PDB file of all heavy atoms in Angstrom:
ATOM      1  N   LEU A   1       0.912  -0.153 -28.408  1.00 95.00           N
ATOM      2  CA  LEU A   1      -0.548  -0.302 -28.599  1.00 95.00           C
ATOM      3  C   LEU A   1      -1.181   1.083 -28.330  1.00 95.00           C
ATOM      4  O   LEU A   1      -0.535   1.967 -27.668  1.00 95.00           O
ATOM      5  CB  LEU A   1      -0.975  -1.267 -27.506  1.00 95.00           C
ATOM      6  CG  LEU A   1      -0.484  -2.752 -27.700  1.00 95.00           C
ATOM      7  CD1 LEU A   1      -0.993  -3.597 -26.553  1.00 95.00           C
ATOM      8  CD2 LEU A   1      -0.908  -3.365 -28.974  1.00 95.00           C
ATOM      9  N   ALA A   2      -2.317   1.178 -28.907  1.00 95.00           N
ATOM     10  CA  ALA A   2      -3.188   2.376 -28.798  1.00 95.00           C
ATOM     11  C   ALA A   2      -3.314   2.716 -27.245  1.00 95.00           C
ATOM     12  O   ALA A   2      -3.654   1.812 -26.452  1.00 95.00           O
ATOM     13  CB  ALA A   2      -4.478   2.288 -29.503  1.00 95.00           C
ATOM     14  N   LYS A   3      -3.277   3.935 -27.008  1.00 97.00           N
ATOM     15  CA  LYS A   3      -3.481   4.282 -25.471  1.00 97.00           C
ATOM     16  C   LYS A   3      -4.929   3.881 -24.980  1.00 97.00           C
ATOM     17  O   LYS A   3      -5.916   4.101 -25.519  1.00 97.00           O
ATOM     18  CB  LYS A   3      -3.327   5.777 -25.274  1.00 97.00           C
ATOM     19  CG  LYS A   3      -3.398   6.262 -23.892  1.00 97.00           C
ATOM     20  CD  LYS A   3      -3.161   7.821 -23.837  1.00 97.00           C
ATOM     21  CE  LYS A   3      -3.149   8.192 -22.262  1.00 97.00           C
ATOM     22  NZ  LYS A   3      -2.920   9.716 -22.228  1.00 97.00           N
ATOM     23  N   GLY A   4      -4.941   3.205 -23.866  1.00 97.00           N
ATOM     24  CA  GLY A   4      -6.114   2.719 -23.321  1.00 97.00           C
ATOM     25  C   GLY A   4      -6.371   1.345 -23.571  1.00 97.00           C
ATOM     26  O   GLY A   4      -7.296   0.745 -22.992  1.00 97.00           O
ATOM     27  N   LEU A   5      -5.517   0.581 -24.445  1.00 97.00           N
ATOM     28  CA  LEU A   5      -5.688  -0.889 -24.691  1.00 97.00           C
ATOM     29  C   LEU A   5      -4.415  -1.572 -23.996  1.00 97.00           C
ATOM     30  O   LEU A   5      -3.399  -1.138 -24.016  1.00 97.00           O
ATOM     31  CB  LEU A   5      -5.671  -0.987 -26.167  1.00 97.00           C
ATOM     32  CG  LEU A   5      -6.790  -0.378 -26.995  1.00 97.00           C
ATOM     33  CD1 LEU A   5      -6.852  -0.722 -28.363  1.00 97.00           C
ATOM     34  CD2 LEU A   5      -8.161  -0.811 -26.400  1.00 97.00           C
ATOM     35  N   LYS A   6      -4.692  -2.926 -23.929  1.00 97.00           N
ATOM     36  CA  LYS A   6      -3.689  -3.743 -23.284  1.00 97.00           C
ATOM     37  C   LYS A   6      -3.748  -5.277 -23.892  1.00 97.00           C
ATOM     38  O   LYS A   6      -4.880  -5.574 -24.118  1.00 97.00           O
ATOM     39  CB  LYS A   6      -3.905  -3.819 -21.629  1.00 97.00           C
ATOM     40  CG  LYS A   6      -3.011  -4.708 -21.043  1.00 97.00           C
ATOM     41  CD  LYS A   6      -3.242  -4.623 -19.477  1.00 97.00           C
ATOM     42  CE  LYS A   6      -2.296  -5.601 -18.782  1.00 97.00           C
ATOM     43  NZ  LYS A   6      -2.609  -5.601 -17.340  1.00 97.00           N
ATOM     44  N   LEU A   7      -2.634  -5.805 -24.106  1.00 98.00           N
ATOM     45  CA  LEU A   7      -2.532  -7.225 -24.436  1.00 98.00           C
ATOM     46  C   LEU A   7      -2.964  -8.018 -23.229  1.00 98.00           C
ATOM     47  O   LEU A   7      -2.228  -7.899 -22.203  1.00 98.00           O
ATOM     48  CB  LEU A   7      -1.253  -7.551 -24.937  1.00 98.00           C
ATOM     49  CG  LEU A   7      -1.155  -8.955 -25.431  1.00 98.00           C
ATOM     50  CD1 LEU A   7      -1.666  -9.176 -26.804  1.00 98.00           C
ATOM     51  CD2 LEU A   7       0.243  -9.587 -25.327  1.00 98.00           C
ATOM     52  N   VAL A   8      -4.027  -8.890 -23.311  1.00 97.00           N
ATOM     53  CA  VAL A   8      -4.338  -9.701 -22.124  1.00 97.00           C
ATOM     54  C   VAL A   8      -4.008 -11.161 -22.325  1.00 97.00           C
ATOM     55  O   VAL A   8      -3.952 -12.006 -21.390  1.00 97.00           O
ATOM     56  CB  VAL A   8      -5.837  -9.626 -21.839  1.00 97.00           C
ATOM     57  CG1 VAL A   8      -6.187  -8.204 -21.228  1.00 97.00           C
ATOM     58  CG2 VAL A   8      -6.780  -9.932 -23.007  1.00 97.00           C
ATOM     59  N   ALA A   9      -3.729 -11.478 -23.622  1.00 97.00           N
ATOM     60  CA  ALA A   9      -3.150 -12.900 -23.851  1.00 97.00           C
ATOM     61  C   ALA A   9      -2.526 -12.960 -25.180  1.00 97.00           C
ATOM     62  O   ALA A   9      -2.838 -12.336 -26.104  1.00 97.00           O
ATOM     63  CB  ALA A   9      -4.420 -13.867 -23.684  1.00 97.00           C
ATOM     64  N   LEU A  10      -1.502 -13.795 -25.166  1.00 97.00           N
ATOM     65  CA  LEU A  10      -0.879 -14.178 -26.352  1.00 97.00           C
ATOM     66  C   LEU A  10      -0.791 -15.676 -26.559  1.00 97.00           C
ATOM     67  O   LEU A  10      -0.308 -16.373 -25.660  1.00 97.00           O
ATOM     68  CB  LEU A  10       0.578 -13.607 -26.232  1.00 97.00           C
ATOM     69  CG  LEU A  10       1.601 -13.807 -27.512  1.00 97.00           C
ATOM     70  CD1 LEU A  10       1.148 -13.007 -28.727  1.00 97.00           C
ATOM     71  CD2 LEU A  10       3.050 -13.402 -27.106  1.00 97.00           C
ATOM     72  N   THR A  11      -1.549 -16.182 -27.567  1.00 98.00           N
ATOM     73  CA  THR A  11      -1.699 -17.657 -27.629  1.00 98.00           C
ATOM     74  C   THR A  11      -0.328 -18.279 -27.951  1.00 98.00           C
ATOM     75  O   THR A  11       0.571 -17.796 -28.360  1.00 98.00           O
ATOM     76  CB  THR A  11      -2.747 -18.091 -28.687  1.00 98.00           C
ATOM     77  OG1 THR A  11      -2.187 -17.739 -30.110  1.00 98.00           O
ATOM     78  CG2 THR A  11      -3.878 -17.276 -28.544  1.00 98.00           C
ATOM     79  N   LYS A  12      -0.303 -19.670 -27.744  1.00 96.00           N
ATOM     80  CA  LYS A  12       0.902 -20.369 -28.064  1.00 96.00           C
ATOM     81  C   LYS A  12       1.167 -20.466 -29.594  1.00 96.00           C
ATOM     82  O   LYS A  12       2.215 -20.570 -30.099  1.00 96.00           O
ATOM     83  CB  LYS A  12       0.813 -21.839 -27.429  1.00 96.00           C
ATOM     84  CG  LYS A  12      -0.254 -22.706 -27.960  1.00 96.00           C
ATOM     85  CD  LYS A  12      -0.375 -24.034 -27.355  1.00 96.00           C
ATOM     86  CE  LYS A  12      -1.344 -24.926 -27.844  1.00 96.00           C
ATOM     87  NZ  LYS A  12      -2.721 -24.564 -27.757  1.00 96.00           N
ATOM     88  N   GLY A  13       0.108 -20.397 -30.331  1.00 97.00           N
ATOM     89  CA  GLY A  13       0.184 -20.308 -31.767  1.00 97.00           C
ATOM     90  C   GLY A  13       0.542 -21.663 -32.500  1.00 97.00           C
ATOM     91  O   GLY A  13       0.459 -22.762 -31.814  1.00 97.00           O
ATOM     92  N   VAL A  14       0.809 -21.449 -33.733  1.00 97.00           N
ATOM     93  CA  VAL A  14       0.972 -22.683 -34.621  1.00 97.00           C
ATOM     94  C   VAL A  14       2.415 -22.339 -35.256  1.00 97.00           C
ATOM     95  O   VAL A  14       2.999 -21.267 -35.141  1.00 97.00           O
ATOM     96  CB  VAL A  14      -0.064 -23.078 -35.587  1.00 97.00           C
ATOM     97  CG1 VAL A  14      -1.258 -23.397 -34.865  1.00 97.00           C
ATOM     98  CG2 VAL A  14      -0.370 -21.793 -36.536  1.00 97.00           C
ATOM     99  N   ASP A  15       2.804 -23.252 -36.175  1.00 97.00           N
ATOM    100  CA  ASP A  15       4.185 -23.143 -36.834  1.00 97.00           C
ATOM    101  C   ASP A  15       4.434 -21.768 -37.216  1.00 97.00           C
ATOM    102  O   ASP A  15       3.865 -21.092 -38.084  1.00 97.00           O
ATOM    103  CB  ASP A  15       4.043 -24.148 -38.038  1.00 97.00           C
ATOM    104  CG  ASP A  15       5.420 -24.294 -38.749  1.00 97.00           C
ATOM    105  OD1 ASP A  15       6.214 -23.530 -38.629  1.00 97.00           O
ATOM    106  OD2 ASP A  15       5.586 -25.482 -39.375  1.00 97.00           O
ATOM    107  N   PRO A  16       5.598 -21.151 -36.774  1.00 96.00           N
ATOM    108  CA  PRO A  16       5.902 -19.949 -37.119  1.00 96.00           C
ATOM    109  C   PRO A  16       6.771 -19.561 -38.297  1.00 96.00           C
ATOM    110  O   PRO A  16       7.209 -18.450 -38.669  1.00 96.00           O
ATOM    111  CB  PRO A  16       6.747 -19.413 -35.822  1.00 96.00           C
ATOM    112  CG  PRO A  16       7.467 -20.753 -35.522  1.00 96.00           C
ATOM    113  CD  PRO A  16       6.494 -21.825 -35.733  1.00 96.00           C
ATOM    114  N   THR A  17       7.053 -20.662 -39.120  1.00 97.00           N
ATOM    115  CA  THR A  17       7.950 -20.463 -40.231  1.00 97.00           C
ATOM    116  C   THR A  17       7.232 -19.967 -41.484  1.00 97.00           C
ATOM    117  O   THR A  17       6.010 -19.724 -41.569  1.00 97.00           O
ATOM    118  CB  THR A  17       8.436 -21.981 -40.787  1.00 97.00           C
ATOM    119  OG1 THR A  17       7.406 -22.767 -41.013  1.00 97.00           O
ATOM    120  CG2 THR A  17       9.390 -22.560 -39.560  1.00 97.00           C
ATOM    121  N   ASP A  18       8.030 -19.546 -42.463  1.00 97.00           N
ATOM    122  CA  ASP A  18       7.540 -19.108 -43.657  1.00 97.00           C
ATOM    123  C   ASP A  18       7.658 -20.113 -44.770  1.00 97.00           C
ATOM    124  O   ASP A  18       8.586 -20.962 -44.728  1.00 97.00           O
ATOM    125  CB  ASP A  18       8.351 -17.818 -44.172  1.00 97.00           C
ATOM    126  CG  ASP A  18       8.114 -16.576 -43.394  1.00 97.00           C
ATOM    127  OD1 ASP A  18       6.929 -16.208 -43.335  1.00 97.00           O
ATOM    128  OD2 ASP A  18       9.074 -16.076 -42.741  1.00 97.00           O
ATOM    129  N   SER A  19       6.758 -20.253 -45.660  1.00 98.00           N
ATOM    130  CA  SER A  19       6.737 -21.101 -46.706  1.00 98.00           C
ATOM    131  C   SER A  19       6.675 -20.388 -48.143  1.00 98.00           C
ATOM    132  O   SER A  19       6.071 -19.423 -48.340  1.00 98.00           O
ATOM    133  CB  SER A  19       5.637 -22.124 -46.642  1.00 98.00           C
ATOM    134  OG  SER A  19       5.752 -23.003 -45.592  1.00 98.00           O
ATOM    135  N   LEU A  20       7.378 -20.994 -49.028  1.00 98.00           N
ATOM    136  CA  LEU A  20       7.457 -20.643 -50.445  1.00 98.00           C
ATOM    137  C   LEU A  20       6.490 -21.483 -51.254  1.00 98.00           C
ATOM    138  O   LEU A  20       6.768 -22.716 -51.418  1.00 98.00           O
ATOM    139  CB  LEU A  20       8.800 -20.555 -51.069  1.00 98.00           C
ATOM    140  CG  LEU A  20       8.860 -20.091 -52.566  1.00 98.00           C
ATOM    141  CD1 LEU A  20       8.266 -18.769 -52.754  1.00 98.00           C
ATOM    142  CD2 LEU A  20      10.313 -20.109 -52.886  1.00 98.00           C
ATOM    143  N   VAL A  21       5.348 -21.010 -51.715  1.00 98.00           N
ATOM    144  CA  VAL A  21       4.435 -21.912 -52.382  1.00 98.00           C
ATOM    145  C   VAL A  21       4.524 -21.758 -53.947  1.00 98.00           C
ATOM    146  O   VAL A  21       4.729 -20.743 -54.514  1.00 98.00           O
ATOM    147  CB  VAL A  21       2.939 -21.436 -52.094  1.00 98.00           C
ATOM    148  CG1 VAL A  21       1.866 -22.395 -52.620  1.00 98.00           C
ATOM    149  CG2 VAL A  21       2.789 -21.399 -50.437  1.00 98.00           C
ATOM    150  N   PHE A  22       4.616 -22.965 -54.495  1.00 98.00           N
ATOM    151  CA  PHE A  22       4.650 -23.130 -56.006  1.00 98.00           C
ATOM    152  C   PHE A  22       3.463 -23.642 -56.648  1.00 98.00           C
ATOM    153  O   PHE A  22       2.561 -24.251 -55.913  1.00 98.00           O
ATOM    154  CB  PHE A  22       5.836 -24.067 -56.387  1.00 98.00           C
ATOM    155  CG  PHE A  22       7.190 -23.749 -55.714  1.00 98.00           C
ATOM    156  CD1 PHE A  22       7.633 -24.314 -54.588  1.00 98.00           C
ATOM    157  CD2 PHE A  22       7.878 -22.813 -56.131  1.00 98.00           C
ATOM    158  CE1 PHE A  22       8.866 -24.101 -53.903  1.00 98.00           C
ATOM    159  CE2 PHE A  22       9.195 -22.441 -55.558  1.00 98.00           C
ATOM    160  CZ  PHE A  22       9.563 -22.993 -54.533  1.00 98.00           C
ATOM    161  N   ARG A  23       3.283 -23.648 -57.866  1.00 98.00           N
ATOM    162  CA  ARG A  23       2.259 -24.455 -58.598  1.00 98.00           C
ATOM    163  C   ARG A  23       2.705 -25.824 -58.600  1.00 98.00           C
ATOM    164  O   ARG A  23       3.880 -26.230 -58.457  1.00 98.00           O
ATOM    165  CB  ARG A  23       2.184 -23.853 -60.046  1.00 98.00           C
ATOM    166  CG  ARG A  23       1.430 -22.555 -60.281  1.00 98.00           C
ATOM    167  CD  ARG A  23       1.270 -22.152 -61.717  1.00 98.00           C
ATOM    168  NE  ARG A  23       2.577 -21.955 -62.439  1.00 98.00           N
ATOM    169  CZ  ARG A  23       3.241 -20.645 -62.304  1.00 98.00           C
ATOM    170  NH1 ARG A  23       2.610 -19.701 -61.760  1.00 98.00           N
ATOM    171  NH2 ARG A  23       4.408 -20.534 -62.981  1.00 98.00           N
ATOM    172  N   GLU A  24       1.735 -26.794 -58.802  1.00 98.00           N
ATOM    173  CA  GLU A  24       2.078 -28.214 -58.792  1.00 98.00           C
ATOM    174  C   GLU A  24       3.155 -28.536 -59.802  1.00 98.00           C
ATOM    175  O   GLU A  24       2.917 -28.146 -60.942  1.00 98.00           O
ATOM    176  CB  GLU A  24       0.780 -29.080 -58.934  1.00 98.00           C
ATOM    177  CG  GLU A  24       0.787 -30.412 -58.598  1.00 98.00           C
ATOM    178  CD  GLU A  24       1.131 -30.597 -57.104  1.00 98.00           C
ATOM    179  OE1 GLU A  24       0.569 -29.928 -56.280  1.00 98.00           O
ATOM    180  OE2 GLU A  24       1.918 -31.648 -56.841  1.00 98.00           O
ATOM    181  N   GLY A  25       4.048 -29.320 -59.377  1.00 97.00           N
ATOM    182  CA  GLY A  25       5.139 -29.764 -60.253  1.00 97.00           C
ATOM    183  C   GLY A  25       6.522 -28.924 -60.428  1.00 97.00           C
ATOM    184  O   GLY A  25       7.456 -29.216 -60.741  1.00 97.00           O
ATOM    185  N   ASP A  26       6.285 -27.502 -59.815  1.00 98.00           N
ATOM    186  CA  ASP A  26       7.347 -26.720 -59.757  1.00 98.00           C
ATOM    187  C   ASP A  26       8.113 -26.907 -58.347  1.00 98.00           C
ATOM    188  O   ASP A  26       7.678 -27.522 -57.369  1.00 98.00           O
ATOM    189  CB  ASP A  26       6.876 -25.363 -59.691  1.00 98.00           C
ATOM    190  CG  ASP A  26       6.440 -24.856 -61.272  1.00 98.00           C
ATOM    191  OD1 ASP A  26       6.782 -25.624 -62.127  1.00 98.00           O
ATOM    192  OD2 ASP A  26       5.791 -23.895 -61.397  1.00 98.00           O
ATOM    193  N   SER A  27       9.427 -26.460 -58.373  1.00 98.00           N
ATOM    194  CA  SER A  27      10.303 -26.475 -57.226  1.00 98.00           C
ATOM    195  C   SER A  27      11.256 -25.239 -57.367  1.00 98.00           C
ATOM    196  O   SER A  27      11.253 -24.620 -58.415  1.00 98.00           O
ATOM    197  CB  SER A  27      11.056 -27.613 -57.040  1.00 98.00           C
ATOM    198  OG  SER A  27      11.940 -27.785 -58.067  1.00 98.00           O
ATOM    199  N   LEU A  28      11.782 -24.914 -56.265  1.00 98.00           N
ATOM    200  CA  LEU A  28      12.694 -23.769 -56.242  1.00 98.00           C
ATOM    201  C   LEU A  28      13.787 -24.131 -57.411  1.00 98.00           C
ATOM    202  O   LEU A  28      14.377 -23.285 -58.092  1.00 98.00           O
ATOM    203  CB  LEU A  28      13.440 -23.645 -55.043  1.00 98.00           C
ATOM    204  CG  LEU A  28      14.292 -22.375 -54.793  1.00 98.00           C
ATOM    205  CD1 LEU A  28      13.644 -21.111 -55.073  1.00 98.00           C
ATOM    206  CD2 LEU A  28      15.020 -22.376 -53.432  1.00 98.00           C
ATOM    207  N   LYS A  29      14.314 -25.378 -57.458  1.00 97.00           N
ATOM    208  CA  LYS A  29      15.391 -25.768 -58.307  1.00 97.00           C
ATOM    209  C   LYS A  29      14.844 -25.701 -59.800  1.00 97.00           C
ATOM    210  O   LYS A  29      15.604 -25.372 -60.636  1.00 97.00           O
ATOM    211  CB  LYS A  29      15.798 -27.175 -57.987  1.00 97.00           C
ATOM    212  CG  LYS A  29      16.980 -27.574 -58.841  1.00 97.00           C
ATOM    213  CD  LYS A  29      17.526 -29.004 -58.355  1.00 97.00           C
ATOM    214  CE  LYS A  29      18.688 -29.437 -59.175  1.00 97.00           C
ATOM    215  NZ  LYS A  29      19.149 -30.840 -58.661  1.00 97.00           N
ATOM    216  N   SER A  30      13.605 -26.041 -60.027  1.00 98.00           N
ATOM    217  CA  SER A  30      13.176 -26.142 -61.398  1.00 98.00           C
ATOM    218  C   SER A  30      12.741 -24.694 -61.961  1.00 98.00           C
ATOM    219  O   SER A  30      12.546 -24.711 -63.224  1.00 98.00           O
ATOM    220  CB  SER A  30      11.880 -27.064 -61.520  1.00 98.00           C
ATOM    221  OG  SER A  30      10.746 -26.451 -60.858  1.00 98.00           O
ATOM    222  N   LEU A  31      12.483 -23.823 -61.194  1.00 98.00           N
ATOM    223  CA  LEU A  31      12.047 -22.520 -61.800  1.00 98.00           C
ATOM    224  C   LEU A  31      13.114 -21.944 -62.692  1.00 98.00           C
ATOM    225  O   LEU A  31      14.362 -21.933 -62.325  1.00 98.00           O
ATOM    226  CB  LEU A  31      11.829 -21.421 -60.644  1.00 98.00           C
ATOM    227  CG  LEU A  31      10.535 -21.655 -59.762  1.00 98.00           C
ATOM    228  CD1 LEU A  31      10.541 -20.543 -58.834  1.00 98.00           C
ATOM    229  CD2 LEU A  31       9.293 -21.873 -60.534  1.00 98.00           C
ATOM    230  N   PRO A  32      12.813 -21.403 -63.818  1.00 98.00           N
ATOM    231  CA  PRO A  32      13.785 -20.815 -64.725  1.00 98.00           C
ATOM    232  C   PRO A  32      14.338 -19.501 -64.172  1.00 98.00           C
ATOM    233  O   PRO A  32      13.755 -18.969 -63.236  1.00 98.00           O
ATOM    234  CB  PRO A  32      13.001 -20.589 -66.072  1.00 98.00           C
ATOM    235  CG  PRO A  32      11.616 -20.512 -65.655  1.00 98.00           C
ATOM    236  CD  PRO A  32      11.450 -21.431 -64.521  1.00 98.00           C
ATOM    237  N   PRO A  33      15.490 -19.079 -64.561  1.00 97.00           N
ATOM    238  CA  PRO A  33      16.057 -17.839 -64.249  1.00 97.00           C
ATOM    239  C   PRO A  33      15.020 -16.674 -64.354  1.00 97.00           C
ATOM    240  O   PRO A  33      14.283 -16.693 -65.268  1.00 97.00           O
ATOM    241  CB  PRO A  33      17.319 -17.613 -65.097  1.00 97.00           C
ATOM    242  CG  PRO A  33      17.637 -18.972 -65.411  1.00 97.00           C
ATOM    243  CD  PRO A  33      16.426 -19.632 -65.684  1.00 97.00           C
ATOM    244  N   PHE A  34      15.043 -15.659 -63.395  1.00 98.00           N
ATOM    245  CA  PHE A  34      14.184 -14.441 -63.452  1.00 98.00           C
ATOM    246  C   PHE A  34      12.866 -14.809 -63.247  1.00 98.00           C
ATOM    247  O   PHE A  34      11.899 -13.982 -63.532  1.00 98.00           O
ATOM    248  CB  PHE A  34      14.473 -13.740 -64.757  1.00 98.00           C
ATOM    249  CG  PHE A  34      15.931 -13.442 -65.168  1.00 98.00           C
ATOM    250  CD1 PHE A  34      16.478 -14.083 -66.292  1.00 98.00           C
ATOM    251  CD2 PHE A  34      16.742 -12.684 -64.278  1.00 98.00           C
ATOM    252  CE1 PHE A  34      17.846 -13.811 -66.622  1.00 98.00           C
ATOM    253  CE2 PHE A  34      18.112 -12.555 -64.629  1.00 98.00           C
ATOM    254  CZ  PHE A  34      18.580 -13.099 -65.595  1.00 98.00           C
ATOM    255  N   SER A  35      12.470 -15.914 -62.743  1.00 98.00           N
ATOM    256  CA  SER A  35      11.097 -16.208 -62.353  1.00 98.00           C
ATOM    257  C   SER A  35      10.720 -15.299 -61.228  1.00 98.00           C
ATOM    258  O   SER A  35      11.527 -14.674 -60.431  1.00 98.00           O
ATOM    259  CB  SER A  35      10.957 -17.734 -61.734  1.00 98.00           C
ATOM    260  OG  SER A  35      11.098 -18.594 -62.763  1.00 98.00           O
ATOM    261  N   LYS A  36       9.431 -14.899 -61.151  1.00 98.00           N
ATOM    262  CA  LYS A  36       8.964 -13.835 -60.174  1.00 98.00           C
ATOM    263  C   LYS A  36       8.480 -14.505 -58.852  1.00 98.00           C
ATOM    264  O   LYS A  36       7.563 -15.490 -58.867  1.00 98.00           O
ATOM    265  CB  LYS A  36       7.781 -13.143 -60.784  1.00 98.00           C
ATOM    266  CG  LYS A  36       8.131 -12.200 -62.026  1.00 98.00           C
ATOM    267  CD  LYS A  36       6.960 -11.501 -62.535  1.00 98.00           C
ATOM    268  CE  LYS A  36       7.514 -10.484 -63.778  1.00 98.00           C
ATOM    269  NZ  LYS A  36       6.266  -9.785 -64.167  1.00 98.00           N
ATOM    270  N   ILE A  37       9.041 -13.988 -57.813  1.00 98.00           N
ATOM    271  CA  ILE A  37       8.652 -14.448 -56.496  1.00 98.00           C
ATOM    272  C   ILE A  37       7.882 -13.237 -55.765  1.00 98.00           C
ATOM    273  O   ILE A  37       8.321 -12.161 -55.851  1.00 98.00           O
ATOM    274  CB  ILE A  37       9.680 -14.922 -55.648  1.00 98.00           C
ATOM    275  CG1 ILE A  37      10.467 -16.018 -56.418  1.00 98.00           C
ATOM    276  CG2 ILE A  37       9.263 -15.287 -54.251  1.00 98.00           C
ATOM    277  CD1 ILE A  37       9.733 -17.231 -56.591  1.00 98.00           C
ATOM    278  N   ALA A  38       6.654 -13.509 -55.341  1.00 97.00           N
ATOM    279  CA  ALA A  38       5.863 -12.485 -54.692  1.00 97.00           C
ATOM    280  C   ALA A  38       5.886 -12.366 -53.187  1.00 97.00           C
ATOM    281  O   ALA A  38       5.789 -13.504 -52.513  1.00 97.00           O
ATOM    282  CB  ALA A  38       4.476 -12.573 -55.079  1.00 97.00           C
ATOM    283  N   THR A  39       6.254 -11.290 -52.611  1.00 95.00           N
ATOM    284  CA  THR A  39       6.369 -11.126 -51.187  1.00 95.00           C
ATOM    285  C   THR A  39       6.434  -9.650 -50.885  1.00 95.00           C
ATOM    286  O   THR A  39       6.964  -8.840 -51.684  1.00 95.00           O
ATOM    287  CB  THR A  39       7.548 -11.755 -50.528  1.00 95.00           C
ATOM    288  OG1 THR A  39       7.681 -11.394 -49.142  1.00 95.00           O
ATOM    289  CG2 THR A  39       8.891 -11.332 -51.231  1.00 95.00           C
ATOM    290  N   SER A  40       5.848  -9.166 -49.882  1.00 90.00           N
ATOM    291  CA  SER A  40       5.919  -7.723 -49.506  1.00 90.00           C
ATOM    292  C   SER A  40       6.845  -7.536 -48.302  1.00 90.00           C
ATOM    293  O   SER A  40       6.864  -6.577 -47.650  1.00 90.00           O
ATOM    294  CB  SER A  40       4.489  -7.160 -49.218  1.00 90.00           C
ATOM    295  OG  SER A  40       3.721  -7.115 -50.361  1.00 90.00           O
ATOM    296  N   SER A  41       7.692  -8.424 -48.037  1.00 91.00           N
ATOM    297  CA  SER A  41       8.535  -8.422 -46.991  1.00 91.00           C
ATOM    298  C   SER A  41      10.017  -8.481 -47.344  1.00 91.00           C
ATOM    299  O   SER A  41      10.360  -9.367 -47.997  1.00 91.00           O
ATOM    300  CB  SER A  41       8.257  -9.617 -46.050  1.00 91.00           C
ATOM    301  OG  SER A  41       9.334  -9.759 -45.057  1.00 91.00           O
ATOM    302  N   GLU A  42      10.812  -7.465 -46.914  1.00 92.00           N
ATOM    303  CA  GLU A  42      12.233  -7.489 -47.216  1.00 92.00           C
ATOM    304  C   GLU A  42      12.990  -8.607 -46.649  1.00 92.00           C
ATOM    305  O   GLU A  42      13.785  -9.329 -47.302  1.00 92.00           O
ATOM    306  CB  GLU A  42      12.881  -6.261 -46.791  1.00 92.00           C
ATOM    307  CG  GLU A  42      12.547  -4.914 -47.613  1.00 92.00           C
ATOM    308  CD  GLU A  42      13.133  -3.669 -47.144  1.00 92.00           C
ATOM    309  OE1 GLU A  42      13.871  -3.805 -46.199  1.00 92.00           O
ATOM    310  OE2 GLU A  42      13.085  -2.638 -47.804  1.00 92.00           O
ATOM    311  N   ARG A  43      12.451  -9.004 -45.513  1.00 92.00           N
ATOM    312  CA  ARG A  43      13.125 -10.245 -44.768  1.00 92.00           C
ATOM    313  C   ARG A  43      12.817 -11.459 -45.605  1.00 92.00           C
ATOM    314  O   ARG A  43      13.801 -12.328 -45.669  1.00 92.00           O
ATOM    315  CB  ARG A  43      12.520 -10.259 -43.302  1.00 92.00           C
ATOM    316  CG  ARG A  43      13.004 -11.381 -42.529  1.00 92.00           C
ATOM    317  CD  ARG A  43      12.099 -11.633 -41.296  1.00 92.00           C
ATOM    318  NE  ARG A  43      10.773 -11.663 -41.385  1.00 92.00           N
ATOM    319  CZ  ARG A  43      10.148 -12.725 -41.791  1.00 92.00           C
ATOM    320  NH1 ARG A  43      10.705 -13.849 -42.018  1.00 92.00           N
ATOM    321  NH2 ARG A  43       8.695 -12.682 -41.972  1.00 92.00           N
ATOM    322  N   ARG A  44      11.633 -11.616 -46.001  1.00 94.00           N
ATOM    323  CA  ARG A  44      11.383 -12.849 -46.690  1.00 94.00           C
ATOM    324  C   ARG A  44      12.048 -12.861 -48.056  1.00 94.00           C
ATOM    325  O   ARG A  44      12.502 -14.004 -48.478  1.00 94.00           O
ATOM    326  CB  ARG A  44       9.799 -13.004 -46.959  1.00 94.00           C
ATOM    327  CG  ARG A  44       9.050 -13.296 -45.673  1.00 94.00           C
ATOM    328  CD  ARG A  44       7.546 -13.179 -45.852  1.00 94.00           C
ATOM    329  NE  ARG A  44       6.757 -13.835 -44.727  1.00 94.00           N
ATOM    330  CZ  ARG A  44       5.487 -13.794 -44.643  1.00 94.00           C
ATOM    331  NH1 ARG A  44       4.792 -13.112 -45.491  1.00 94.00           N
ATOM    332  NH2 ARG A  44       4.860 -14.349 -43.647  1.00 94.00           N
ATOM    333  N   GLU A  45      12.125 -11.731 -48.694  1.00 95.00           N
ATOM    334  CA  GLU A  45      12.834 -11.665 -49.870  1.00 95.00           C
ATOM    335  C   GLU A  45      14.319 -12.143 -49.762  1.00 95.00           C
ATOM    336  O   GLU A  45      14.851 -12.839 -50.628  1.00 95.00           O
ATOM    337  CB  GLU A  45      12.923 -10.229 -50.557  1.00 95.00           C
ATOM    338  CG  GLU A  45      13.654 -10.210 -51.775  1.00 95.00           C
ATOM    339  CD  GLU A  45      13.574  -8.767 -52.357  1.00 95.00           C
ATOM    340  OE1 GLU A  45      12.560  -8.087 -52.200  1.00 95.00           O
ATOM    341  OE2 GLU A  45      14.614  -8.241 -52.997  1.00 95.00           O
TER     342      GLU A  45
END
């Protein structure tokens, strides 16, 4: 953290998982080959 700052609380939070969102009617199985998935995270990719 920046010098002079401190974490004073970390909330319990909500669901920590990642989700892959599709258009209505689509699914991971139904997407054709070479469909484009958007993410800026190597881990999520």
Side-chain angles (χ1 to χ4, degrees):
L1 296 177
K3 186 176 181 181
L5 298 180
K6 178 180 180 178
L7 178 83
V8 295
L10 183 68
T11 71
K12 65 181 182 297
V14 296
D15 193 329
T17 58
D18 289 302
S19 289
L20 178 55
V21 183
F22 308 100
R23 289 183 292 273
E24 195 62 36
D26 287 344
S27 67
L28 185 63
K29 185 176 180 179
S30 71
L31 291 181
F34 310 115
S35 293
K36 291 182 180 179
I37 305 298
T39 176
S40 292
S41 163
E42 289 183 354
R43 175 188 57 80
R44 288 172 168 174
E45 178 179 326

